Amino acid sequence: MRWSILVLVAMLCFDVWYRAHTFAPTVVEATGVNLWPATVGPSEPLDCDEAIYAHMGRRLLAGDVMYRDLTENKPPLGYWLYATPIALFGYNELAVRLFPIPYVLGTIALLWWIGLKLSGPSAGCAAAGLYAMLSTDPYLYGNGSNLEHQMNFFSVASLALFLSGWTREKLWPTALAGVCVGAATLVKQVAVLPLIVYGAALVVRPSKSRTKALAALSVGFGTTLALAAVVLIAQGAGVSAYDDIFRFGRAMATDTLPEPGAPSAWVRWLTGNADPTGKLPWPFGTTNYLVWWAGGTWPLWLAAAPCAAHLAFGPNGSAERKLAAAWTAAAGVQVVLPGLYWAHYYLLPTPGIAVAVAVTLADCVAGVRARFRLADLAGVVVVIAAILGTAFLQVRDYLLCPPQELTIRYKGGSQWVFLRMLGLELARSAKLWEHPTLYVWGWQSPLHFYGKLDGASRHLFVDNLLRDQAERDHPLIKPRVEEILRDLRDRPPALIFAGYPPFPALRAFLFENYLPTNLPGTVFEKSLPSTSIQAQNGMGLWVEKSKYRAFEHALAAQSGSSTN
C-alpha cells in the first residue's frame, strides 16, 4: 500500500510537468529553466472557449452578474470557478493554463482510490497514470482549460463517495455524492446522468436503508442546485438564468441546424464533425480543417469496450464494479446527448476508461500468476499494447510537438495564432478611444481576451443556433437579435469583428456607421478579408468611422514595428 502512495505522488508530479508543456515557453522565459524537450516558439494560444470563459471570469470579478450582464447557455459554476485564477494570477494566459491543474490532480487521486478499491494498488496506480495521459490529449483539447476537467473532478468525486457509502452503508457519503453530482451539473447540464445510475443502484439493492439513502442522495443534489438558484435570484438574474440555461440550452440541442455535409447521427459519434465543405478527418477522409478526436488515443479507446465489459460482467464482478461500468456508460451518453460532438466532449468518458483498462490489466496479470490461462495472457498483451500505442502517439504528437504547433495541428489551424496576434495589436491601437468596446459576431472571442476589450452587449458569443436562426422568426433568437441591435445602437462599440456573414440588420448598421479595414501592408493583410469582399458580405474587422484613419495608421505602425 505504501509503495502505491509513492507512485501516486510521482504521478501527480509527472502530470504537472506533462501538462506544463503547453505553456513551457512562458515558464522558460520567466525562470530560465527548460525541462521540456520541444520548447520552441511561443506557448499555445487560447482557443475561443478558453478566451470567453476567462473574459467572463474577469467581468464577474469586476461586478457583472451571470445571465443578467453576461449571457450563456450553460449553468454558472464553471464561470464562477474561472474567476478564481484571474483573481489569483491576473488576466493572462498563464492563469488560464494553470486553472485546470488542481482539478486534474484531484481526479487522478480519486481514480487511484477507485482503482485501489476495485482491484488493488496496481490497478489504482495504473488508473492514475492512464488518466494523466488521457486527460492531456491535445486531440481532445485536454491540454487546455475546458470545463470538462471540472465536470470530471466533481463526477469522479461523486463516484468515489457513492462507492464509499455503498460499501459502508453510510448516508453522509451518499449525500455528498449528490452534492458532487449537483456541482458537476452546475458546470454543464448533461452531468446530471450519474444521478440516474446511483438512484437505480439504490432502488435495486436489497437494503433496509434504501429509502434513506435515496433521500440523502436527492437532498445533496437538490441543495446544491438550490443554493446556486438562490445566489442568482439574489443577484437579480433568476429569470434570465432560466431563459439561458433551460430554454436556450434545450434549443441548442434541438434547433441547431446541421452543418453542411455533416455525417449522419448514427456515425457522427465516431467520426466527429466534418469541415465546412463536408469532408471528414482522417481516417474517414482527408481534410486540413479538423482531426479525428480519437487520433491520439485510439488504441485505448479500442480496448475500452472489452475492458468496460470485463468491469461489468467479468468473473471478479462485484456491485461496485458494475456501478463503475454504469457510470462510465453514462459519461459516454453525455458526449452524445447534446448532438454537437465537439472534441472536448470526449474527455468525459476518459476517467471511466482509465479505471476499466487498469482493472482489466490487474485482473489479467493476477490470473496469469495464479493459473496460467491463455485468455488472461491475451488480455495482458492486448491491454499493454493499447497503453504503449497510446503512449507513443502522445509523446510524438504532444510532448515532441512545439506548443504553438499544437493548436495549428489539432485545433482548427492557425486561427488562434492569428487571433492572438490581432488581439494584441488591437490592445495597443484601441488606445485611441477612452473606453473602447468590441462586438464580435462570431466565435473570435480571443479578441476580447488579448485585446483587453469589453463587449458591447451581454451576448458575447455567437453559437451555431444564434448564427443559423438570426434571420428567422425563432421565438428565442428573435428577441436576442433585437437586443443585440439595441445594445449596438445605444452604445456603439469602437470595433466590430464579423466572423460570420452578418444578418441584414447588422450588415446595414455596419455600412452606416463603420468602415472595413484590411490593414494593407501589415501582417494581417492576407488573413483578413479584403475591403472589396467585406463590402459584399460584411465579414472582417470594422472600425468606427470617426477614428478609422487614425486607427489604420496606428495599427499599421504597430504591426510594422513588430515585424522589423
Side-chain angles (χ1 to χ4, degrees), residues 72-124:
E72 243 297 357
N73 65 291
K74 293 183 281 292
L77 184 56
Y79 307 106
W80 291 344
L81 292 175
Y82 238 99
T84 307
I86 307 302
L88 292 175
F89 306 112
Y91 189 47
N92 55 66
E93 266 187 15
L94 184 59
V96 177
R97 292 296 177 220
L98 293 174
F99 172 53
I101 291 178
Y103 298 96
V104 175
L105 296 181
T107 307
I108 289 172
L110 289 166
L111 291 173
W112 172 85
W113 183 88
I114 291 172
L116 183 73
K117 185 174 183 61
L118 296 181
S119 189
S122 297

Side-chain angles (χ1 to χ4, degrees), residues 52 74 85 114 172 183 186 263 299 304 330 347 367 430 454 471 530 538:
I52 199 63
K74 293 183 281 292
I114 291 172
W172 67 264
L186 284 173
L347 284 169
D454 282 338
E471 300 180 43
S530 67

Side-chain angles (χ1 to χ4, degrees), residues 104-442:
V104 175
L105 296 181
T107 307
I108 289 172
L110 289 166
L111 291 173
W112 172 85
W113 183 88
I114 291 172
L116 183 73
K117 185 174 183 61
L118 296 181
S119 189
S122 297
C125 293
L130 286 169
Y131 186 72
M133 180 169 57
L134 288 167
S135 62
T136 313
D137 178 19
Y139 287 83
L140 302 182
Y141 293 30
N143 64 316
S145 298
N146 285 290
L147 296 181
E148 280 74 15
H149 292 305
Q150 286 72 53
M151 295 173 69
N152 277 342
F153 171 72
F154 292 123
S155 191
V156 172
S158 77
L159 177 62
L161 285 162
F162 192 81
L163 289 173
S164 177
W166 181 275
T167 304
R168 300 159 59 190
E169 294 201 35
K170 297 288 186 180
L171 294 180
W172 67 264
T174 305
L176 288 179
V179 170
C180 289
V181 175
T185 305
L186 284 173
V187 178
K188 286 189 181 181
Q189 298 93 318
V190 293
V192 71
L193 291 182
L195 191 72
I196 300 173
V197 173
Y198 302 154
L202 291 174
V203 167
V204 300
R205 182 182 190 182
S207 173
K208 294 181 180 179
S209 60
R210 175 194 304 164
T211 303
K212 292 181 179 179
L214 281 168
L217 181 69
S218 302
V219 168
F221 176 78
T223 300
T224 305
L225 267 62
L227 287 174
V230 167
V231 170
L232 291 172
I233 292 171
Q235 292 177 325
V239 174
S240 55
Y242 174 81
D243 186 61
D244 283 353
I245 298 170
F246 293 97
R247 299 182 66 210
F248 193 86
R250 182 172 59 248
M252 281 280 292
T254 59
D255 296 354
T256 301
L257 300 178
E259 293 287 341
S264 166
W266 294 104
V267 298
R268 195 175 170 194
W269 64 271
L270 176 62
T271 65
N273 293 312
D275 72 14
T277 65
K279 295 179 180 178
L280 288 171
W282 178 93
F284 310 100
T286 303
T287 174
N288 293 324
Y289 183 79
L290 294 170
V291 296
W292 185 34
W293 58 268
T297 50
W298 65 265
L300 274 177
W301 282 87
L302 197 61
C307 289
H310 171 83
L311 188 66
F313 308 112
N316 299 325
S318 63
E320 290 86 353
R321 289 189 173 195
K322 288 179 171 59
L323 270 169
W327 180 91
T328 302
V333 175
Q334 291 175 45
V335 176
V336 178
L337 203 58
L340 300 175
Y341 302 100
W342 299 117
H344 51 88
Y345 292 3
Y346 292 87
L347 284 169
L348 296 175
T350 56
I353 291 173
V355 168
V357 172
V359 168
T360 302
L361 178 60
D363 286 355
C364 290
V365 170
V368 169
R369 287 178 175 177
R371 294 176 300 172
F372 188 85
R373 296 187 303 182
L374 289 178
D376 288 325
L377 181 61
V380 171
V381 171
V382 168
V383 171
I384 289 180
I387 294 173
L388 292 177
T390 300
F392 169 78
L393 292 173
Q394 289 299 303
V395 170
R396 184 194 68 182
D397 295 347
Y398 170 67
L399 198 58
L400 298 181
C401 178
Q404 185 171 262
E405 281 294 312
L406 293 170
T407 194
I408 296 172
R409 295 183 189 181
Y410 312 123
K411 302 178 181 179
S414 59
Q415 56 188 340
W416 313 119
V417 176
F418 162 69
L419 289 172
R420 175 165 63 182
M421 293 170 58
L422 179 57
L424 292 173
E425 295 292 350
L426 292 182
R428 290 185 280 265
S429 301
K431 294 176 182 178
L432 293 167
W433 290 268
E434 186 175 355
H435 299 292
T437 57
L438 165 73
Y439 178 69
V440 176
W441 176 253

